[in-house]
Every structure is written in C-alpha cells, then in structure tokens.
Amino acid sequence: MRVFTKMSDIGTVANALDLAWDVKINPFKDKELGRDKTLLMIFFNSSLRTRLSTQKAAMNLGMNVIVLDINQGAWKLESELGVVMDGDKPEHILEAIPVMASYCDIIGVRSFANLMSREQDYSEEIISQFIRLSGKPVFSMESAIRHPLQSYADVITIEEYKKVQRPKVVLTWAPHPRALPQAVANSFAEWINNTEYEFVITHPQGYELADEFTANARVEYDWKRAYEGAHFIYAKNWSAYTGNNYGKILHMDRSWTVDSEKMALTDNAFFMHCLPVRRNMIVTDEVIDSESSIVVHQASNRVVSAQAVIREMLKTL
Ligand code: AN0
Ligand code: CP
C-alpha cells in the first residue's frame, strides 16, 4: 500500500481488521521493519491524538519520526497553481513537497477542509499534491473530506465491544459552537457502509452529508427512532454540506446533545466520539463519564490503525 486516504486503499474492512488484530497480538514484533526509516508527519492543523498515536505507532515499528507544524515556524505554503506569489505565502508546495520528501521514507499529512469552497475541499487538492509530488508513500491524518485512521480505529473498537453479530450503529449529529468539517462523519459512513452492521445516520434537516459517503445508509431525521435499540451511539458535529450553506452552522440545537434520556432509548449502547469533544454541547458529563463511554479506548486504538497502515507502507520500501 503506497497511498492511504480512504477505506478502499486498504482493500476491505475485513482485511483492515485482520491487520489490526495482528498488530494487537504483538505490537513490537516488526521493530526491524522500520529500522533506519523515517516518518515525516506534516500538520497544517492542530492535533493531540493523531500526533501522539501515529508517532507511537512508528516508534513501535522501529522508525525515526520528524514532525512539522506548518503554521508554527515553517514557511506558509502556497498551493494554488500559476499564481503571482505577492501575498503572505513565501513558498510553493511545488518545491516544498519534493524537498520534504527528500528527508524521509513515508509521509503523513493532516490538512483540514477550509470550509470556504466545497469544490476545492472535495477535490482533496493538498493531499493529492503530496501523493503526486513526493514519490513517497503518503497517508492521511485527516484530509479535507476523510479521516480514515480514525474510522479504522472506530471499527476496531466496535468489533471489540459488540455483543451481537450485527450491531445497530448510529451516527448522530450534535451541536458545536464552531464550524467543523464533514471529514469524520464522511469517513465513518464510508467504513461502516462496508461492514454488515445496521447503520443509521441521524441529523437535523439541512445537515445532509454527501451521497458518495452515506450511500445506502438509513437517514433518520427523528433522533428518537434512530436511538431505539441502538448498540453504539457515535456522536459528531459537522457543518452543512448541501447547497449554498456549505461550511455553515445552521443552528446549535442542544436538543441534539447526547444525554442520559436519549441513551435510555438504546439497547445499553456504548457512547463513542473521535475526540476532542466539547462536554455539555456534544455530550453531557453524565454520559461521557458513565460506564457506557468508550472514548478513551477508542482513542487508544488510533495507535493500532496507524501501525497497521505504516507497516503496510514499510513493506513497499
Ligand atoms: C476536527 C474535525 O471535526 O474534523 C478534528 C476531529 C478529529 N475537530 C475539531 O476541529 C474540533
Ligand atoms: N481524533 C483525532 O484525530 O484527534 P486529534 O485531532 O487530536 O488528532
């Protein structure tokens, strides 16, 4: 695997899970595979989990790791082609990417949607340029429209906690004070649609996600019906995708906050969120502090998904 930006890059969810269980059995057995190999992690946006878990994964594989925060000390990078560079960006990615690639063997990139232009965000321009110009294996650490390492860890977590063969998994929109990308929700839908789980997406009118991600999933505007009998409640905020509302917050309706009354409708569902999470906006203290919350274990599985992906990339070097 030389590119990992979406589910199909790793084959199938079943294949991804096999690789994950192998990492879990003995995380240190491939220490020699990464010897004298360097991972470069490039962040255009902030991170806690992705930064630490991916670095830990690379260290488990015996690699060296370099981390670059583009917005903290690096030159601001221009990505538009053919522009007169008379603005605030002193360097173009046309040079910066090959230069960065010359210092490493594998590249991880985090570059969020800017939520200004749907066309630009959904063209995945930044990560595509890294794939095209670096000549190195490239994986996404959340691109404009997907967060595959997160969804991979999410599926690992559901497999570990599920009590029935075909659990009912509910992705619910929840309120948030800032406009967030659709990436986590898109990617979660993409992965869950490729499992046998019963999958329901619930959100207020106007927060519809792109059809390419939701595919055949059942969309339920009435959260009560979505929560009924659920085994997993996966909360996430996202800004509007459709029409002229792209990137906008339509409202912050706290009747969508995940609370104990809603959880009581479920079949003892586990609560999941990718984190960072805003307490008492997305989810009440009571729910996230309860036994049913598995957010910390979910985050711990980010090491496993990252390690499985980097290991497949190391094998191609
Ligand atoms: C980001 C998002 O919603 O895409 C990252 C989540 C992993 N969240 C925030 O910026 C709060
Ligand atoms: N879930 C996740 O990707 O977290 P960070 O933004 O902290 O990396």
Side-chain angles (χ1 to χ4, degrees):
M1 187 167 62
R2 300 273 302 177
V3 167
F4 180 71
T5 67
K6 57 185 185 305
M7 195 284 298
S8 57
D9 291 330
I10 200 159
T12 60
V13 171
N15 182 49
L17 286 171
D18 286 345
L19 296 173
W21 306 141
D22 192 55
V23 168
K24 281 224 168 197
I25 288 167
N26 182 358
F28 307 111
K29 80 172 160 54
D30 295 305
K31 267 234 173 255
E32 279 302 305
L33 197 60
R35 202 160 114 117
D36 297 333
K37 297 286 187 277
T38 301
L39 171 67
L40 173 60
M41 296 161 63
I42 301 162
F43 288 93
F44 288 85
N45 312 92
S46 305
S47 168
L48 184 151
R49 277 143 293 275
T50 304
R51 174 185 296 259
L52 296 177
S53 63
T54 311
Q55 183 157 0
K56 170 73 172 134
M59 290 181 336
N60 287 353
L61 291 162
M63 297 183 81
N64 299 310
V65 183
I66 311 174
V67 183
L68 180 68
D69 289 295
I70 294 288
N71 296 322
Q72 284 168 22
W75 303 112
K76 276 196 181 139
L77 297 180
E78 178 61 67
S79 60
E80 223 179 301
L81 301 179
V83 285
V84 176
M85 289 174 61
D86 60 356
D88 66 336
K89 294 174 178 159
E91 179 154 26
H92 205 286
I93 58 172
L94 291 172
E95 288 79 48
I97 292 174
V99 168
M100 292 190 282
S102 75
Y103 306 141
C104 66
D105 301 285
I106 297 178
I107 301 177
V109 183
R110 165 164 284 200
S111 173
F112 288 179
N114 64 21
L115 298 178
M116 309 286 269
S117 154
R118 179 174 48 207
E119 288 63 40
Q120 198 177 59
D121 288 342
Y122 276 67
S123 71
E124 291 270 58
E125 190 193 319
I126 300 284
I127 193 131
S128 304
Q129 296 276 38
F130 273 92
I131 294 163
R132 196 166 64 78
L133 297 169
S134 71
K136 298 284 157 76
V138 172
F139 65 90
S140 164
M141 300 194 298
E142 186 170 339
S143 70
I145 61 170
R146 290 183 177 89
H147 193 0
L149 285 177
Q150 181 64 52
S151 317
Y152 187 176
D154 298 338
V155 175
I156 294 168
T157 309
I158 293 172
E159 280 300 300
E160 289 178 316
Y161 278 87
K162 75 178 190 187
K163 293 177 189 147
V164 293
Q165 187 57 28
R166 194 170 170 266
K168 179 175 178 182
V169 176
V170 177
L171 168 63
T172 179
W173 179 93
H176 191 275
R178 305 254 187 285
L180 295 182
Q182 298 95 35
V184 171
N186 285 344
S187 218
F188 186 71
E190 184 168 82
W191 282 67
I192 301 299
N193 271 326
N194 282 279
T195 67
E196 289 178 350
Y197 311 154
E198 181 186 349
F199 184 34
V200 180
I201 304 173
T202 186
H203 56 71
Q205 299 264 2
Y207 282 103
E208 291 76 15
L209 294 164
D211 290 341
E212 67 171 300
F213 295 108
T214 54
N216 304 324
R218 189 177 125 210
V219 176
E220 186 61 74
Y221 293 110
D222 177 357
W223 55 254
K224 284 199 188 74
R225 292 179 58 170
Y227 274 72
E228 269 165 19
H231 299 105
F232 293 89
I233 297 295
Y234 191 106
K236 183 73 184 85
N237 171 266
W238 60 88
S239 59
Y241 166 77
T242 52
N244 292 330
N245 286 329
Y246 181 73
K248 294 205 175 97
I249 299 176
L250 306 180
H251 56 73
M252 286 189 258
D253 184 351
R254 286 180 54 203
S255 71
W256 283 79
T257 299
V258 182
D259 58 20
S260 298
E261 289 69 44
K262 292 190 186 66
M263 291 301 280
L265 298 170
T266 69
D267 185 359
N268 284 314
F270 291 107
F271 173 78
M272 297 179 72
H273 189 280
C274 64
L275 307 182
V277 71
R278 288 188 185 239
R279 284 170 172 250
N280 303 311
M281 284 296 299
I282 300 278
V283 58
T284 60
D285 287 333
E286 197 179 9
V287 170
I288 197 166
D289 291 333
S290 74
E291 293 274 295
S292 66
S293 173
I294 55 174
V295 295
V296 173
H297 184 76
Q298 182 185 353
S300 76
N301 276 331
R302 290 292 305 277
V303 178
V304 183
S305 61
Q307 194 167 332
V309 166
I310 297 168
R311 189 175 61 162
E312 290 310 291
M313 293 192 157
L314 282 171
K315 287 180 188 165
T316 70
L317 297 180

